[in-house]
Amino acid sequence: MELSRYHPNNLKRISEGMINIHPIQRGGILTEEAKKILLSWSDGYSVCDVCLEGRVDLIKNPPINQLKQDVAEFLGMDTARFTAGARHAKFVIMSAFKGGTLVLDSLAHYTSYIAAELNDMKIYEVPNSGYPDFKINPEGYAQTFERVKEETGSYPDIALLTHVDYRYGNLVDAEKVGKICEEYEIPLVLNTAYTSGLMEINGKKLKASFIVGSGHKSWAATAPIGILATNYELADRAFQTSKVRGEWSGRAFTKKELSMFGCSPVYGLPVITLMASFPKVVERVKRWDEEVEKARWFVKEMEKIEGLQLIGERPKNHTLMHFESPAFHSIAKSHKKKGYFLYHELKKRGVFGVQAGMTKNFKVNTYGLSWEELERVANAFKDIAEKYGVEVED
Amino acid sequence: MNFRDYFEIPLNPVAVIFKKEEMDAEGEYRFCEAVRIVAERGERIVINEFNLMCAGALVSLGFVTELAEEGETRSIVLEPYRGQECDVVLVVATPDRIMRISSYYKNLFDEELRAQFAGETAVCGEATARVRDTGEPNISFLCPGAREIGNYRREEVVLGFPKDVFVRIETAIRKQEVRALCGCLMDDLPKDLIERFEQMGFDKSTDHFFGFVNGKSVKLYIFKGEKNTLGIYTSVKFKSEEEAERVAESYTGEYVLMPRENWIEIMKVSDIDVFQEYRKPDFEKRLNSEIEKIVEEARRIKGLKARA
């Protein structure tokens, strides 16, 4: 073993000092408040110093129990838990519907499928519209519910909507889907991994039974932390407590929630950073319109590069965007660095986050960039295009 | 990362070193049995003509000839492979691991891993002697001796590598030359269909294909359903959203025009049922004809802006 590789001098982050436009990073950038408390809460189970209740979400000092309720209120729900990520939150929900049928959008994150698979669920997909918008039509939920009824004899047990998908950054009309689900009396899981914490979400208004969020993607928290909010009607089902008893010792753990493995696995920094950032998060969602405005401006600037085109819905309603770039791809074919040229050229210009090797199409996220940073990023792309003889509009 | 860790193989790869001098040897072994012991326990075992208890192995490994005359080999050293000089490296693994190794091998050498086996003199002959003689790796499914006496598990097989090939693979692993392909499939399009489009100059994107035709970017998207029709798309950029909308409204041609802000996406659903027809010889010709027409129409639509 070469242990020197783990020396702090060798652990410099590759993106340090650069503008990081990686699609999964922008919403997880820590607030100054969160950065301030990093060291004091960095030891393993740091929040468990004064755990009297036996469950992390019930701890009063630091005020995790209160945070749980505040987060629920912020999302327009009744109660919440912190999980090991949005994927774990989905697993928790699916485990309450084990063996049932799930309808989900065809742009859902892979962890939605896997959470269902782990719980022996049968899945049906709501199709998307295909090229170039790849949109999910809310009506597709009703059609798919009927298809499930036709094929299985009963309506599905639960539906899942990815509020904004990770592939095209399309924002689906969750309220319409929620209304359809309400009419069919099918609980709706709204996966807000790219929305809650960035834009205002009100579960009651959207008629969601469960809201899943990602602290590290969208709530300015360190990974791993997810959020699972629900209403009291379904809380008992999702957060069942343990009933097991040791046959010899008689031991039992009646306060421990089964699908949280007893105690939500956020015993330190993740939950503390989420807490420290929370006031800023509550504030920042009100400025979402400006983020969308910046994203749309960025699209216009990027499309000044010949052949470069946004795919997914237009106009953009989210900061996660997917560009198709046949001109960069043509350059890659004859460049000695092949598809990696774009990544390297961007790095030279202080921009990080376009996946190395990707030139055909790539995703970026502009959330939280200042106008100046945004301009620097757009100029970096334009500069690279011009360097290789690709036309750029004035 | 080494070979064993990379492919997550429980047993050590075994280095086989042929010697022309006789070495002291202890115990009594079948060759296959000794290989299994070294692989499992990490011990070093020396074999010579006198402690090798299998006549088939004596012949196949060259200790004696088929006429019972003295052969070239006087001893064989078996050790866990740690990068030392050796002739052959043997890997005892289950078929799922062999599958991963063969996929890696194909990516690295652009050739298939072969299995030539008869179920006789397997570990000694098929996986060791043959590999040493031919310089090619080989998979053996073992023989009754190995299965019944050698303590191999029911699901185990043995893969023999020439040392230089094994070293090349370990180097590639260390340098991460062969990247694991993403395990997420974004569609269920047949591989040869994708290749067909690629031959025609279209690259696969996440959900569709795209390429340049007469300087225009053209996209192809398969609408899955009872008939797997093909959507052909190209786009024209205008100065403003209003201009794009005016052009789309005034258009009376055969294509579908979708204004998307300051762009118009021009689209046609072709009659071609892709899954039925992509293997037909005239597929490319028919498709190209459609594509050329849409590209031509795009240029005409671009010109409409003056009148709109």
Side-chain angles (χ1 to χ4, degrees):
Chain A
M1 283 189 288
E2 283 180 42
L3 295 177
S4 62
R5 74 178 89 223
Y6 309 119
H7 188 277
N9 292 345
N10 295 328
L11 293 179
K12 196 180 160 196
R13 193 170 169 189
I14 196 165
S15 59
E16 202 172 295
M18 289 190 262
I19 300 176
N20 192 341
I21 52 169
H22 196 294
I24 64 171
Q25 304 290 6
R26 295 301 315 165
I29 290 173
L30 292 193
T31 56
E32 288 307 313
E33 289 79 358
K35 282 179 191 167
K36 264 187 203 164
I37 48 82
L38 280 179
L39 274 179
S40 62
W41 295 93
S42 57
D43 301 331
Y45 280 35
S46 61
V47 301
C48 306
D49 284 336
V50 202
C51 177
L52 305 175
E53 301 278 355
R55 240 174 52 199
V56 72
D57 63 295
L58 300 175
I59 289 174
K60 292 188 178 66
N61 180 19
I64 300 173
N65 192 28
Q66 188 56 53
L67 177 72
K68 176 175 83 173
Q69 287 315 118
D70 287 338
V71 163
E73 187 186 327
F74 175 60
L75 293 172
M77 304 297 277
D78 293 333
T79 188
R81 296 290 186 277
F82 304 111
T83 63
R87 64 190 65 201
H88 178 208
K90 286 182 279 188
F91 170 79
V92 169
I93 299 164
M94 305 294 173
S95 69
F97 296 87
K98 201 173 175 69
T101 305
L102 166 74
V103 165
L104 80 174
D105 57 284
S106 52
L107 293 173
H109 194 252
Y110 73 89
T111 52
S112 304
Y113 291 79
I114 285 173
E117 187 175 359
L118 263 172
N119 286 293
D120 303 322
M121 299 191 82
K122 190 170 185 193
I123 59 161
Y124 284 81
E125 292 179 307
V126 178
N128 65 66
S129 65
Y131 187 89
D133 292 326
F134 301 99
K135 276 178 123 168
I136 298 291
N137 177 4
E139 284 304 319
Y141 275 81
Q143 289 156 10
T144 309
F145 293 163
E146 292 300 338
R147 185 159 63 92
V148 173
K149 175 82 190 293
E150 217 170 90
E151 289 181 23
T152 68
S154 52
Y155 288 117
D157 298 283
I158 192 162
L160 182 144
L161 170 66
T162 314
H163 200 192
V164 158
D165 70 275
Y166 71 102
R167 277 158 76 172
Y168 301 103
N170 286 349
L171 180 75
V172 187
D173 188 337
E175 199 169 350
K176 278 191 185 160
V177 176
K179 202 168 169 218
I180 291 167
C181 289
E182 189 184 48
E183 281 165 11
Y184 279 88
E185 297 182 353
I186 295 168
L188 171 66
V189 180
L190 185 63
N191 179 7
T192 66
Y194 284 101
T195 51
S196 61
L198 304 181
M199 60 190 282
E200 286 184 89
I201 299 290
N202 185 313
K204 286 208 169 59
K205 193 174 152 202
L206 300 175
K207 303 189 187 309
S209 297
F210 296 98
I211 288 186
V212 167
S214 168
H216 44 263
K217 278 201 185 119
S218 309
W219 292 61
T222 59
I225 186 163
I227 293 147
L228 168 50
T230 187
N231 295 322
Y232 288 131
E233 290 91 331
L234 284 159
D236 287 348
R237 187 167 176 174
F239 307 134
Q240 283 179 58
T241 49
S242 170
K243 292 180 183 63
V244 75
R245 181 174 282 269
E247 55 83 30
W248 177 81
S249 68
R251 297 174 70 210
F253 319 94
T254 53
K255 201 181 248 185
K256 305 289 188 188
E257 290 173 338
L258 271 186
S259 50
M260 299 286 166
F261 311 114
C263 180
S264 305
V266 285
Y267 318 103
L269 261 189
V271 72
I272 280 292
T273 52
L274 188 120
M275 186 184 290
S277 290
F278 186 59
K280 281 278 164 69
V281 166
V282 170
E283 274 306 305
R284 79 183 191 181
V285 296
K286 294 172 189 157
R287 298 192 298 275
W288 176 246
D289 288 349
E290 191 192 340
E291 294 296 336
V292 174
E293 187 194 340
K294 284 192 282 188
R296 290 178 182 179
W297 177 88
F298 185 74
V299 170
K300 277 206 166 64
E301 289 304 303
M302 291 290 278
E303 286 188 338
K304 287 180 178 171
I305 299 168
E306 185 193 354
L308 198 138
Q309 199 178 353
L310 177 86
I311 49 178
E313 71 175 343
R314 277 177 182 276
K316 267 317 289 178
N317 290 306
H318 196 269
T319 54
L320 196 164
M321 53 194 89
H322 183 139
F323 291 103
E324 194 164 81
S325 52
F328 284 142
H329 187 47
S330 292
I331 296 164
K333 283 181 177 173
S334 55
H335 198 285
K336 67 177 178 183
K337 285 190 173 158
K338 299 289 174 200
Y340 293 88
F341 95 94
L342 184 61
Y343 170 82
H344 287 289
E345 291 284 8
L346 284 167
K347 258 181 83 176
K348 274 191 230 166
R349 290 161 179 80
V351 177
F352 185 88
V354 166
Q355 196 181 333
M358 295 292 276
T359 49
K360 280 182 195 173
N361 48 303
F362 56 85
K363 296 189 294 181
V364 301
N365 192 341
T366 58
Y367 182 79
L369 292 181
S370 65
W371 282 102
E372 190 198 343
E373 287 172 321
L374 211 58
E375 205 170 330
R376 271 182 60 195
V377 175
N379 285 342
F381 278 100
K382 288 185 203 169
D383 194 34
I384 296 165
E386 279 174 338
K387 178 178 170 184
Y388 291 96
V390 178
E391 202 175 307
V392 179
E393 285 172 33
D394 287 336
Chain B
M1 189 180 272
N2 64 25
F3 185 97
R4 187 172 87 85
D5 291 336
Y6 186 79
F7 293 109
E8 299 173 313
I9 296 169
L11 303 180
N12 292 299
V14 176
V16 184
I17 306 154
F18 283 74
K19 298 277 188 187
K20 286 190 176 169
E21 65 274 14
E22 191 171 313
M23 295 172 68
D24 290 340
E26 290 178 1
E28 290 182 343
Y29 300 98
R30 285 173 175 259
F31 181 78
C32 50
E33 177 191 15
V35 167
R36 185 70 176 67
I37 290 169
V38 174
E40 184 174 328
R41 299 186 204 158
E43 292 173 4
R44 178 177 189 266
I45 294 178
V46 177
I47 284 172
N48 64 23
E49 187 184 350
F50 305 102
N51 74 337
L52 181 55
M53 295 292 105
C54 179
L58 278 168
V59 175
S60 64
L61 293 167
F63 284 99
V64 293
T65 68
E66 284 184 18
L67 300 170
E69 289 168 357
E70 194 173 279
E72 270 200 349
T73 309
R74 308 305 307 149
S75 317
I76 290 179
V77 178
L78 299 174
E79 296 170 333
Y81 177 77
R82 302 271 187 269
Q84 67 272 53
E85 277 307 313
C86 61
D87 297 285
V88 172
V89 181
L90 295 171
V91 174
V92 181
T94 49
D96 63 326
R97 295 302 194 267
I98 301 290
M99 173 191 78
R100 285 175 52 188
I101 295 166
S102 68
S103 166
Y104 193 96
Y105 183 85
K106 173 77 169 70
N107 271 289
L108 187 62
F109 296 103
D110 196 27
E111 60 185 47
E112 290 156 348
L113 206 52
R114 304 288 166 117
Q116 288 185 297
F117 58 96
E120 290 176 4
T121 57
V123 180
C124 55
E126 292 168 0
T128 305
R130 179 198 290 266
V131 170
R132 184 185 181 227
D133 294 346
T134 62
E136 300 282 336
N138 191 38
I139 301 165
S140 168
F141 284 71
L142 311 191
C143 57
R147 295 274 177 216
E148 289 159 24
I149 304 166
N151 291 324
Y152 287 80
R153 293 188 185 159
R154 191 184 174 94
E155 65 275 18
E156 284 173 347
V157 297
V158 174
L159 168 55
F161 284 107
K163 154 103 194 285
D164 58 341
V165 173
F166 194 83
V167 168
R168 178 72 189 91
I169 294 173
E170 281 216 318
T171 305
I173 290 169
R174 213 166 35 251
K175 291 185 177 171
Q176 299 183 16
E177 285 177 46
V178 176
R179 295 202 176 256
L181 295 173
C182 175
C184 301
L185 298 174
M186 289 297 142
D187 55 54
D188 51 4
L189 298 178
K191 198 178 166 199
D192 57 339
L193 184 150
I194 295 170
E195 285 168 0
R196 187 84 174 97
F197 280 123
E198 284 172 349
Q199 283 160 9
M200 293 169 62
F202 287 89
D203 287 308
K204 176 86 169 62
S205 187
T206 315
D207 288 294
H208 58 287
F209 297 85
F210 69 83
F212 279 111
V213 177
N214 299 334
K216 282 288 296 170
S217 175
V218 174
K219 290 94 178 187
L220 306 174
Y221 177 79
I222 299 168
F223 290 97
K224 286 172 66 180
E226 278 176 29
K227 196 177 171 198
N228 298 289
T229 50
L230 186 71
I232 306 172
Y233 299 78
T234 188
S235 47
V236 177
K237 190 178 179 186
F238 293 89
K239 281 220 165 62
S240 66
E241 199 169 333
E242 294 71 33
E243 191 175 67
E245 267 176 22
R246 279 202 304 273
V247 169
E249 275 170 22
S250 65
Y251 180 74
T252 53
E254 60 171 314
Y255 293 88
V256 177
L257 264 53
M258 296 181 281
R260 303 179 75 232
E261 296 189 283
N262 59 327
W263 291 79
I264 286 183
E265 201 68 39
I266 304 162
M267 181 257 199
K268 183 182 181 185
V269 178
S270 162
D271 288 337
I272 296 169
D273 182 329
V274 185
F275 285 20
Q276 294 289 323
E277 302 186 39
Y278 73 95
R279 289 194 187 90
K280 290 185 180 170
D282 65 341
F283 176 74
E284 185 169 344
K285 196 176 160 193
R286 284 176 60 199
L287 188 56
N288 279 341
S289 158
E290 300 249 32
I291 291 170
E292 278 164 21
K293 276 189 213 161
I294 202 170
V295 167
E296 206 174 297
E297 186 70 349
R299 296 199 196 289
R300 199 180 74 76
I301 289 168
K302 180 84 178 165
L304 289 178
K305 69 176 179 182
R307 277 170 277 158

